[in-house]
Amino acid sequence: MAVTSILHLAFTFGILGNIISTMVFLAPVPTFIRIFKKKSTEDFQSLPYLMALFSSMLWLYYAMLKKDTILLVTINSFGCLIETTYIAIYIVYATRESRVSTIKLLISMNMGLFSLILLLAHFLVSGSVRVKVLGWLCVALSVCVFAAPLNILKQVIRTKSVEFMPFTLSFFLTLSAVMWFAYGLLLKDLCVALPNILGFILGLLQMVLYGIYRNAQKVEEKKKLPALKSIVILSAVGGPGIYPVDAEPDVNGGAEEHDQTEESKEDEKSMEASQDKLQSNECAV
């Protein structure tokens, strides 16, 4: 009876994890609507989507080797489908140089490296050992990808700006990590549970930084930094990656600031002219 209750609870957490992870997978949709309308990929990079696809493929293979992991199969199948769609759209509208580099990475990593892992896992190990090896490969990949946003968090602290770190997405990423951690813990699957501990910590850190710098004034250094587009991580089970955010600079704000600068310069000139005029009048007297 207790075992059945634990399985039901794990299934509930898995369902919630699937729902949240699906929302996170769909987060880049506005970015690709923008790409489609402008017929250009602009400064967006394809690497996050290639990494997310590779991770989903690896987790899908791991889930298919285990028993009673239908929820892992469904979410990572959806991840493979949606990431492939993103990459296809990117290739269509990318510049020739970006298109060639994306195709090379797709062939070498998503096809070549994954096929190598598939063959090695099939011929060198077998049974439960194969599942463990693949599971720890997934954990290693998740940890490597989770380390990438640390530079972005450093950038947020340095610039005191959360312009490129939306709170809603960070919240759902953290929530997703909690759900998958609970799912893995209840099923005693450390390969699912462990990476999401790190995901939860980093997601929580993002929300804390958002709370600290939400109303902070932007520093001058922010103007010198390149435009940030990628800021957040995905759930370990839902295909970890760094997803670009569809954020355009505030053109109107920049124009207003420029106008204010011009006005201040004109005021300074008029004041200097007035002072010169007064001095000349005094000399005349």
Side-chain angles (χ1 to χ4, degrees), residues 2-18:
V3 175
T4 305
S5 300
I6 291 174
L7 290 176
H8 285 167
L9 189 58
F11 186 78
T12 302
F13 278 116
I15 288 289
L16 292 173
N18 264 263

Side-chain angles (χ1 to χ4, degrees), residues 67-203:
K67 295 179 180 179
D68 302 322
T69 54
I70 185 64
L71 295 176
L72 288 180
V73 172
T74 53
I75 188 59
N76 286 291
S77 296
F78 178 75
C80 289
L81 177 63
I82 195 70
E83 297 300 336
T84 302
T85 304
Y86 292 153
I87 293 168
I89 295 172
Y90 186 93
I91 290 173
V92 170
Y93 294 109
T95 60
R96 186 178 183 279
E97 184 179 355
S98 297
R99 185 183 299 115
V100 170
S101 63
T102 299
I103 293 173
K104 284 181 179 178
L105 269 173
L106 182 65
I107 294 172
S108 60
M109 181 174 66
N110 297 83
M111 295 180 183
L113 182 57
F114 181 75
S115 298
L116 180 62
I117 292 172
L118 206 67
L119 291 171
L120 291 176
H122 183 75
F123 290 107
L124 296 184
V125 290
S126 60
S128 59
V129 178
R130 181 187 300 162
V131 176
K132 288 181 181 178
V133 170
L134 279 170
W136 288 109
L137 273 176
C138 291
V139 171
L141 177 64
S142 299
V143 170
C144 291
V145 175
F146 277 144
L150 293 176
N151 185 51
I152 305 301
L153 297 180
K154 180 182 175 183
Q155 204 92 301
V156 170
I157 295 171
R158 188 191 307 169
T159 61
K160 294 182 172 59
S161 171
V162 292
E163 181 181 356
F164 296 96
M165 194 169 70
F167 176 82
T168 305
L169 190 54
S170 298
F171 173 76
F172 279 112
L173 290 168
T174 308
L175 196 59
S176 176
V178 171
M179 297 302 163
W180 286 116
F181 168 74
Y183 174 84
L185 188 64
L186 290 170
L187 293 182
K188 298 180 180 179
D189 190 338
L190 292 179
C191 294
V192 174
L194 286 178
N196 284 291
I197 297 176
L198 184 58
F200 170 75
I201 293 171
L202 289 177

